[in-house]
Amino acid sequence: MQLPRRVFLALALGAPVSASRAADRSILLATTTSAENSGLLGYLLPRFEKASGIRVKVVAVGTGQALKLGERGDADLLLLHHPPSEEAFVAAGFGIDRREIMANDFLLVGPAEDPAGARGRDVLAAFRAIAASGAPFVSRGDASGTHERERELWRAAGIDPGSAARGWYREAGSGMGATLNIAAAMGAYTLADRGTWASFANRRGLVVLVEGDPRLSNVYAVTLVNPARHPHVKVAEARALADWLGGPEGQAAIGSFEVGGTRPFRPIATARAVPGSDGGR
Amino acid sequence: MIGRLAAAPGPEPAPLLPLEVEGLVVELGGKRLLDGLSFTLRPRRCTLILGPNGAGKSLLLRVLHGLVPPSRGRLRWAEPDPARRRLAQAFVFQKPVLLRRSVRGDLTVALAARGVLRRERRARIAEALALVGLEGFEGRAARSLSGGEQQRLALARAWALRPQLLLLDEPTASLDPAATRMVEAIVRDLAGRGVTIVMSTHDLGQARRLAEDVLFLHAGRLVEASEAAAFFARPSSREAGAFLAGELLA
Amino acid sequence: MGPLGISGEIGEAAVTALRLLWSADPELLAIVALSLEVSLAATALAAMLGLPLGALLALARFPGRGALVLLVNAGMGLPPVVVGLLVYLLLSRSGPLGDHGLLFTPTAMVIAQTILVTPIVAALARQAVTDLLEDYREHLASLGLRPLAAVPVLLVDARYRLATACLAGFGRAAAEVGAILIVGGNIRGHTRTMTTAIALETSKGALEQALALGFVLILVVLAVNLAAAGLQRMARRIEG
């Protein structure tokens, strides 16, 4: 028990801690719950840490909160999957060297009985069918990358689920796993990323109903927090992780990650960093 | 830390008494609870305050001890310094206030508060416990003692402070007859050691056994102040007569 | 997880909890140790701040005392997420204390929990000392002790209720997740505690694992309370 030391540190507001921490080679990676919950990072990072000697501390939050951590200089590197927000983040001068490293896809999951008849349609038609049937749909509702994508899909389908007081559209305000728990409990439809879905244990009656639609592609990119804005950011170490993820070793590891009998992530990195890439695809 | 405030009482402390009370009035919440009392307390006497419930006996004791300030009137003590007056007194409550500690701990706090030096405390404690028949009780939890033992411990604590004046507020009111007799024996013992006793009671038998002087209160007024023999033989007031006849107990 | 029904699921989770403890999985042990370390440190700090504050509020009379008592009592219901957010803004690199680099460290978690626990300890201590003072007031006055000089006497004599106040504070700290999730970040091997691990397992849909961790947490809190009760009994025996 290091109790007295901890008490002392807290009393001294940890001045000695910060001194000792500056010496150790570690970075803070802010990422989304979908990347963490799938188990991918638990698979990749030990390999990187072994190769580089740099320890990676992962804080898994919603996309909005991760961007805020970067904006305030509380993280060194971001791993996110919502290109428009990431590009805005770079454009505002908060981040540099955004680099796309992998992709998977979103899935429309729902009850096996499929009361709305969404199965096998393209995703916009499936969304329209759900809205028309009034079958329950659970939204992340947390301004995450997945939530943003879901809103884009509703817009493209010409439906505004939030407008009327429609009982069928429920905003969970939660991470992917928690939202899947709710959908499973309600027998509702929801949009999920393949990584979280593949590792999700509590499916109950939920099955995949729509997949493979080009509108469901999901691109992950790393962005360095701008050291010009936050001088304390460990830019060399953060860049080392970004380069490893985009390099041959990291790309091979991403491609070989397996969960629930599938390989949910595709390596897509190009040879060099692509600042301001279009990413929208 | 408390000891510095109070000099340890020397071998020959300045006399606290006599006390002359003149026109003592106490008003609380707009009600006059003590109404114009005048009397003299003589040293080395055993004075019993008698009277029915609500006469103001407990309040008078608290005024004498400095716990309640008088609204009007004067208390003229032989000792002019108020801090020294407090040091020369001890108080025993009807329901003994004992600390949540061992007997030794309870006595130690009192002795330390009164500035008794650490090296003297052990002997004082042993001697005081012996006086009240609680030898060997040092390690017991004070509040685990029986009611009679608790009141004897309160008396031991009071005696350990070496008071010139001991004030007791109905100390036997909630005790059985055997415990009451033990407390009375201790009070008599202390009186024999030269401690001035002022004690309230509504027990006439107890007053007859202990009193040398009597203050008889009724409805906040001092109706009679006389020597005990005279009071019990020929009460001069109607109220005292009724009280002695057992008609004023309520 | 089969169609076992609620009792079956709870039973399975309890078995998993025992298996986890029995296997002495180093990651689990590290999580348990960090939880204890953070919550006990926060409770110790809260006791150092809250006990004197509670005694002061019980004994001293000063302008604004009533408002402060109200504030402390209301502070027992501080929402952990709000405290977490405030501490985050304080410790963030862009915040006033950002230079210390404390965000996402156990120290940050101790700070947040200390803020949550101190009002509980202070409010319960104030009540304990107030009740005791009611009993002792005339005796202490008779001895010539002013109320403030009596603080050590009152704190020692209220020790059992003060210990209970600290245990209540510890319970709050050990069960709390909202504040430490924000300022600690639930970083594996660094700031992951039992409560944040439970939240994580739940979000992964691993309900059995989450519930098993919940049982471990309950066992640990129970063990701390048992240890405290044992210490109290020992203390009582020594007092006689």
Side-chain angles (χ1 to χ4, degrees), chain B residues 87-234:
Chain B
L87 283 172
Q89 298 184 19
F91 202 105
V92 172
F93 298 94
Q94 175 177 341
K95 183 176 169 296
V97 182
L98 299 179
L99 304 188
R100 285 148 178 83
R101 310 178 174 222
S102 66
V103 167
R104 181 190 297 114
D106 181 276
L107 289 166
T108 301
V109 167
L111 291 172
R114 289 294 184 88
V116 176
L117 296 177
R118 193 178 293 271
R119 61 172 182 275
E120 287 177 30
R121 290 178 200 160
R122 180 174 289 272
R124 282 255 193 130
I125 289 169
E127 189 258 352
L129 289 179
L131 179 94
V132 301
L134 293 176
E135 299 97 332
F137 275 58
E138 281 91 341
R140 298 270 296 273
R143 295 162 70 92
S144 71
L145 304 183
S146 73
E149 288 168 341
Q150 290 197 15
Q151 197 56 286
R152 278 149 61 201
L153 175 57
L155 280 160
R157 185 170 69 196
W159 167 242
L161 301 177
R162 295 292 182 271
Q164 295 183 48
L165 172 61
L166 176 59
L167 305 161
L168 303 101
D169 185 12
E170 307 216 22
T172 60
S174 42
L175 299 185
D176 63 32
T180 298
R181 274 194 298 280
M182 292 182 83
V183 167
E184 288 179 10
I186 294 165
V187 170
R188 213 174 280 124
D189 187 351
L190 292 177
R193 290 164 187 251
V195 180
T196 307
I197 306 285
V198 179
M199 171 167 156
S200 67
T201 186
H202 58 252
D203 177 347
L204 269 176
Q206 183 168 68
R208 285 182 203 272
R209 290 191 291 274
L210 291 177
E212 295 172 295
D213 293 328
V214 167
L215 298 173
F216 180 74
L217 293 185
H218 185 256
R221 308 175 75 95
L222 182 62
V223 181
E224 290 205 41
S226 52
E227 296 205 356
F231 176 80
F232 289 116
R234 308 174 296 280

Side-chain angles (χ1 to χ4, degrees), chain A residues 2-3 6 10-11 13 18 21 28 36-37 55 57-59 69 72-74 177-178 181 200 202 230 232, chain C residues 37 40-41 45 88-89 92-94 100 102-106 111 187 189-190 192 200 202-205 207:
Chain A
Q2 298 172 305
L3 185 57
R6 190 72 76 203
L11 275 178
L13 264 180
S18 48
R21 288 215 193 292
L28 200 122
E36 166 81 339
N37 285 6
R55 175 152 149 59
K57 298 175 184 165
V58 178
V59 174
L69 289 176
R72 298 177 61 92
D74 295 323
N181 277 333
F200 187 72
N202 185 37
H230 295 290
H232 63 269
Chain C
E37 199 183 315
L40 286 173
L45 278 169
Y88 166 73
L89 291 174
S92 163
R93 284 290 181 177
S94 304
H100 296 281
L102 286 178
L103 191 65
F104 302 133
T105 65
I111 292 171
I187 298 169
H190 185 53
R192 183 161 298 169
L200 177 67
T202 304
S203 78
K204 291 201 299 203
L207 303 189

Side-chain angles (χ1 to χ4, degrees), chain C residues 82-95:
Chain C
V82 175
V83 170
L85 198 53
L86 290 174
V87 173
Y88 166 73
L89 291 174
L90 212 62
L91 300 183
S92 163
R93 284 290 181 177
S94 304

Side-chain angles (χ1 to χ4, degrees), chain B residues 26 28 33-34 56-64 68:
Chain B
V26 174
L28 284 174
L33 302 176
L34 290 179
K57 304 188 294 290
S58 295
L59 184 59
L60 174 58
L61 284 165
R62 281 168 170 73
V63 173
L64 294 179
V68 178

Side-chain angles (χ1 to χ4, degrees), chain C residues 31-136:
Chain C
I31 288 175
V32 170
L34 181 69
S35 297
L36 275 175
E37 199 183 315
V38 167
S39 297
L40 286 173
T43 307
L45 278 169
M48 283 157 66
L49 298 168
L51 295 180
L53 175 63
L56 183 78
L57 290 176
L59 293 166
R61 293 291 175 268
F62 52 89
R65 177 183 160 278
L68 198 55
V69 168
L70 193 71
L71 210 66
V72 166
N73 284 343
M76 291 198 287
L78 273 179
V81 178
V82 175
V83 170
L85 198 53
L86 290 174
V87 173
Y88 166 73
L89 291 174
L90 212 62
L91 300 183
S92 163
R93 284 290 181 177
S94 304
L97 300 177
D99 292 341
H100 296 281
L102 286 178
L103 191 65
F104 302 133
T105 65
T107 306
M109 297 154 79
V110 171
I111 292 171
Q113 291 204 331
T114 300
I115 294 172
L116 284 171
V117 173
T118 299
I120 295 177
V121 174
L124 296 178
R126 185 193 69 81
Q127 196 56 53
V129 173
T130 301
D131 293 350
L132 196 61
L133 189 62
E134 205 158 293
D135 188 11
Y136 284 9

Side-chain angles (χ1 to χ4, degrees), chain C residues 147-204:
Chain C
L148 281 179
V151 166
V153 176
L154 290 164
L155 286 183
V156 170
D157 278 30
R159 57 199 173 276
Y160 297 118
R161 279 185 66 185
L162 298 181
T164 305
C166 291
L167 280 178
F170 171 76
R172 161 94 154 170
E176 185 277 323
V177 59
I180 55 172
L181 193 57
I182 295 177
V183 303
N186 188 28
I187 298 169
R188 183 176 176 185
H190 185 53
T191 57
R192 183 161 298 169
T193 66
M194 278 184 280
T195 54
T196 61
I198 289 166
L200 177 67
E201 293 302 330
T202 304
S203 78
K204 291 201 299 203

